[in-house]
Structure formats: structure tokens, C-alpha cells
Amino acid sequence: MANDIRICEKCRHMQVKSAVSKLKKLVSSEEEIKIGCKSYCGPCKRYAFVFVNGRYIKAPSEDEAIELAKKHLK
């Protein structure tokens, strides 16, 4: 079963290119990481976040959010 991974390109605390490359290292090469607005604008202004398998994972920085997201990947 594939993971559902999404990030927002408008998030102030995430750099899309670096976040996608870091996330791709954690999952199989066939899995797609979706990029687009998640309508999570309140927290998005204050935290970095990654949407993983139905959960919003937020943290003060991109690296911390990706580290927390690891435990929710299949």
C-alpha cells in the first residue's frame, strides 16, 4: 500500500525542492509526493508541516517535521 504524502508549496517554513528530495529518500521511488495547497493556512503560517497518511505532522522546522513524519510512513 502506498503512502499519501502531501506538502504545500506556499508554506513559509518549507522549501519544496529540499523537502521533496528528503521525503523521496524515505519512501520507494514509485511513490508520488503531492504538492499543493492543503487549506491548512493558520498552522502553515507558524509551522512546517507534512500531510502523511491522513495526519498533519507539524514542527518548527522542515527537518523536524520530516523526522516526525517518518513514524507515520508505511
Side-chain angles (χ1 to χ4, degrees), residues 42-54:
C44 181
K45 290 179 183 176
R46 297 185 304 262
Y47 303 101
F49 82 92
V50 181
F51 181 84
V52 179
N53 299 324

Side-chain angles (χ1 to χ4, degrees), residues 14-65:
M14 300 280 281
Q15 299 297 321
V16 174
K17 285 185 179 182
S18 67
V20 168
S21 71
K22 290 173 188 174
L23 289 166
K24 283 195 180 272
K25 290 177 185 175
L26 302 176
V27 296
S28 68
S29 59
E30 296 89 37
E31 292 192 55
E32 179 185 358
I33 297 170
K34 297 174 184 111
I35 302 168
C37 182
K38 292 298 299 153
S39 298
Y40 196 60
C41 298
C44 181
K45 290 179 183 176
R46 297 185 304 262
Y47 303 101
F49 82 92
V50 181
F51 181 84
V52 179
N53 299 324
R55 293 184 171 94
Y56 285 101
I57 311 301
K58 66 180 185 176
S61 72
E62 175 183 312
D63 290 331
E64 291 173 294

